[in-house]
């Protein structure tokens, strides 16, 4: 099985109550790919600049991520984001966003990336998402994320992109904003009217919920006493979720398979927040994930 | 087994996107008692005025609630609250609060109420909570709720009250406010340092979490497509939770029993919001609760 993710590759400078890091490897495609790499072969597609070096490639390749479609833009600089989290790490302030090479990103996928069974369109401009989706004629399962910016500035494009995928993954505020519907159940079913058969709602510190035509599943986040850096948790969730499904070969996943995927996503997100950037996920072992799946069982079963 | 609840008995006028009601029976002790009545004998203690009539008593007595300690204050008026919920029913506006007889409430418990095995101190001034707790010398398990008002105006009293109970039930914002600790796990353990061995955190639309010395459990709320009126959901949760425990005779409850109680609390809260005021819980049958417990299993098990 093979999985392609298209999205940002970035340097992140982050300050939280537990420390700070300068110019760590980050970005949606990075967090996604590392998380998915525990279950599947992953190809990361995204642009980088001259400041992106062997050290960064190595982090990805050490986890088996295929980096052939990481596009090096000569003379360019990699997407840079700086942010600060309050003592309540659910509150985040963006200090700086330099889109750099990401600003004019036009995804070019190799045949191998186009041939992937599963495609994840991380948060990029929705017309680009749709263009990528159309290139990947062989994709048997396609999922997408988005953000409030596109709901504000490119709503029609976003709705068209949503119409071309199987699964939409969004946070609850975005879902409410996009549908104009405050009730989550109703909002999720509104999204399904556009085509997707599965909606996954990210709820930050509260976990995530899954809606399909005939199933509803909710998984609280694992309460963690020291959340060192939440950056990338949502993308790690998506990576664990889709990596697991593709690893199973589940391209028309059953409700049971989707539930198992939700738990893998939740597990990867929970590891993500335990340390800065990709630090925790990088040193993860496959057994750690199995142990954490049991921790989620202990958290929720009665 | 017997359970006493001390708290407000009120008339509520509520407007939500799904309709409105004038002067419905409400109040923390009411919602609690009706929810607990499915598992246990419940005595409600609270003050009412001349406007509290047979119809109101009947709602409680129809569910077997013992009303002997409902104190009728001659010439007084019952606590009145009016509120409005936005289209997003998580957002509530208080339009009017007339404390009336509740303002000078001094709980007087009959011997039977004092002898209850389990005592719930709903949200009243914390010195009163402690005075009631001291009257109930035979109580084997005592739980309390509180609110932001007392954290602001009577923090020392509140901490003393907390030191006298086994279980604290609060919403997450209040817990964070009281402890000054944004992380929920840390905040819950801070509360335990004052004496309680169990902390239950209410998270509104996201459900509830349970912390004990050696266990953590989280239960998402059941996603409901039409939340008609959320008023009283937290008290229905508490009633389902404590009623179930006392019904079991579990006065030093095991982690497993507490988990089961969390699910009963969640079930009663989920029914509470399906209709205005006490309307849904009033017409509930015991089998409905069992069915809903299975719905929570379906929601969370994988």
């Amino acid at each position: 099985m093979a999985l392609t993710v298209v999205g940002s590759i970035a340097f992140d400078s982050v300050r939280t109550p537990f420390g700070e890091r300068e110019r760590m490897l980050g970005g949606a495609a990075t967090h996604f790919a590392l998380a998915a790499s525990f279950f599947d072969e992953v190809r990361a597609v995204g642009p980088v600049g001259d400041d992106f070096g062997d050290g960064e490639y190595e982090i990805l390749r050490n986890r088996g991520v295929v980096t052939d479609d990481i596009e090096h833009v000569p003379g360019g600089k990699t997407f840079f984001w700086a942010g600060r989290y309050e003592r309540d790490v659910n509150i985040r302030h963006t200090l700086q966003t330099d889109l750099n090479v990401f600003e004019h990103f036009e995804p070019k996928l190799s045949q191998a990336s186009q041939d992937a069974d599963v495609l994840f369109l991380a948060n990029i401009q929705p017309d680009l998402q749709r263009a990528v989706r159309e290139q990947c004629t062989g994709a048997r399962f396609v999922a997408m994320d988005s953000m409030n910016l596109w709901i504000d500035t490119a709503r029609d494009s976003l709705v068209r992109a949503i119409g071309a995928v199987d699964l939409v993954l969004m946070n609850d505020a975005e879902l409410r904003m996009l549908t104009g519907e405050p009730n989550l159940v109703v909002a999720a079913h509104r999204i399904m009217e556009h085509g997707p058969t599965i909606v996954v709602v990210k709820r930050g510190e509260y976990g995530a919920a899954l809606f399909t035509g005939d199933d509803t599943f909710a998984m609280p986040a694992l309460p963690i006493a020291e959340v060192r850096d939440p950056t990338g948790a949502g993308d790690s969730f998506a990576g664990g979720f889709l990596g697991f499904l593709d690893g199973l070969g589940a391209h028309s996943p059953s409700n049971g398979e989707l539930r198992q995927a939700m738990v893998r996503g939740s597990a990867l997100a929970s590891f993500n927040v335990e340390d800065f950037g990709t630090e925790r996920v990088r040193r993860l072992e496959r057994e750690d994930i199995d142990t954490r799946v049991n921790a989620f069982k202990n958290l929720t079963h009665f």
Side-chain angles (χ1 to χ4, degrees), chain A:
Chain A
M1 303 294 121
L3 169 52
T4 294
V5 52
V6 181
S8 63
I9 298 170
F11 286 113
D12 289 341
S13 289
V14 173
R15 185 148 43 99
T16 84
F18 300 99
E20 52 189 309
R21 297 287 189 281
E22 294 292 329
R23 296 182 61 78
M24 305 178 286
L25 176 62
T30 301
H31 286 288
F32 179 96
L34 291 174
S37 72
F38 290 91
F39 306 102
D40 206 7
E41 181 178 281
V42 189
R43 295 169 173 274
V45 181
V48 299
D50 293 343
D51 49 357
F52 199 85
D54 290 345
E56 283 75 37
Y57 279 111
E58 207 176 296
I59 290 171
L60 292 164
R61 288 175 187 151
N62 277 347
R63 286 278 343 130
V65 175
V66 180
T67 57
D68 302 353
D69 281 4
I70 291 184
E71 182 190 356
H72 173 212
V73 180
K77 286 174 72 181
T78 304
F79 183 5
F80 173 73
W81 179 81
R84 176 176 72 77
Y85 291 86
E86 289 196 9
R87 247 192 100 216
D88 178 348
V89 292
N90 300 301
I91 304 170
R92 166 167 111 169
H93 303 280
T94 288
L95 304 174
Q96 194 173 335
T97 305
D98 300 335
L99 290 176
N100 296 332
V101 296
F102 196 59
E103 187 167 5
H104 301 292
F105 174 43
E106 289 184 24
K108 299 166 201 71
L109 278 69
S110 63
Q111 196 58 47
S113 286
Q114 290 179 32
D115 288 347
D117 304 286
V118 171
L119 171 66
F120 182 60
L121 304 162
N123 166 34
I124 57 176
Q125 205 280 343
D127 291 322
L128 289 183
Q129 290 180 313
R130 202 153 50 99
V132 171
R133 199 276 161 264
E134 282 167 8
Q135 282 179 51
C136 296
T137 46
R140 291 187 283 168
F141 192 77
V142 183
M144 67 178 277
D145 193 0
S146 191
M147 74 185 293
N148 50 3
L149 173 68
W150 309 123
I151 301 172
D152 272 339
T153 63
R155 174 184 293 263
D156 292 348
S157 295
L158 178 55
V159 170
R160 276 194 297 272
I162 286 172
V165 305
D166 303 289
L167 182 153
V168 168
L169 178 91
M170 270 191 186
N171 75 40
D172 45 4
E174 289 159 1
L175 187 64
R176 288 177 164 139
M177 188 178 163
L178 176 62
T179 59
E181 174 50 60
N183 183 287
L184 226 52
V185 182
V186 179
H189 288 269
R190 285 275 164 80
I191 295 290
M192 291 183 212
E193 290 168 11
H194 294 288
T197 55
I198 305 161
V199 175
V200 173
V201 187
K202 298 183 284 183
R203 307 165 115 181
E205 63 159 329
Y206 299 107
L210 165 79
F211 296 92
T212 72
D214 61 354
D215 197 26
T216 302
F217 177 69
M219 184 48 47
L222 195 68
I224 287 176
E226 191 175 300
V227 173
R228 290 170 68 79
D229 174 15
T231 315
D235 297 305
S236 289
F237 177 95
F241 183 101
L242 288 175
F244 177 79
L245 281 186
D246 191 43
L248 281 186
H251 301 122
S252 304
S254 67
N255 288 331
E257 288 164 338
L258 288 168
R259 286 169 175 244
Q260 293 289 337
M262 286 284 286
V263 180
R264 271 48 176 206
S266 302
L268 268 298
S270 73
F271 285 120
N272 183 110
V273 305
E274 288 184 342
D275 212 336
F276 281 85
T278 61
E279 292 174 26
R280 181 71 186 93
V281 173
R282 265 193 259 168
R283 57 176 194 270
L284 207 58
E285 305 284 342
R286 181 59 203 256
E287 311 82 271
D288 298 331
I289 300 176
D290 299 335
T291 304
R292 186 127 312 175
V293 168
N294 283 326
F296 276 96
K297 203 164 265 182
N298 287 333
L299 177 69
T300 55
H301 284 210
F302 58 88

